Amino acid sequence: KDFWDWTVVKYTIHRLVIIPAVVYIVCSFLPLSKNVLGLCVLLAAMPAGATTSMLAAKYDRDPEFATKLVVFSTLCSIPAIMIWSSVLV
């Protein structure tokens, strides 16, 4: 019950869908090979790092929210990375 926070969902969608889509569009206009384009998009589609929650705890900046964000984005990244991989093939 406490895990479902719409702000976390919003940031996860931005992290796993919108940012990689922007990277894909921008890199499509650059003279990059298909491998480099795919690598850039997949790196942009990675979940929030665990250091996010560690830094939030260290600086007293809502570590519970940061932990929810890391866990939720990591769980959602599995299907998101598979979808991005199939788009890039």
Side-chain angles (χ1 to χ4, degrees), residues 1 3 13-15 17 28 37 46 51 68 70 75 82 86:
K1 175 182 169 184
F3 183 73
I13 290 171
H14 276 85
R15 181 75 184 138
V17 178
S28 295
L37 172 72
M46 291 295 140
T51 55
K68 284 193 269 186
V70 169
L75 290 175
M82 291 184 344
S86 66

Side-chain angles (χ1 to χ4, degrees), residues 53 56-57 59-67:
S53 57
Y59 295 109
D60 295 323
R61 299 290 181 196
D62 203 2
E64 292 175 9
F65 175 76
T67 303

Side-chain angles (χ1 to χ4, degrees), residues 27-82:
C27 288
S28 295
F29 292 111
L30 298 174
L32 300 174
S33 70
K34 193 171 184 176
N35 288 336
V36 174
L37 172 72
L39 181 66
C40 291
V41 173
L42 288 178
L43 284 175
M46 291 295 140
T51 55
T52 304
S53 57
M54 289 184 245
L55 289 172
K58 180 178 180 179
Y59 295 109
D60 295 323
R61 299 290 181 196
D62 203 2
E64 292 175 9
F65 175 76
T67 303
K68 284 193 269 186
L69 184 63
V70 169
V71 171
F72 190 72
S73 68
T74 301
L75 290 175
C76 292
S77 71
I78 297 168
I81 291 171
M82 291 184 344

Side-chain angles (χ1 to χ4, degrees), residues 7 22 49 63:
T7 308
V22 169

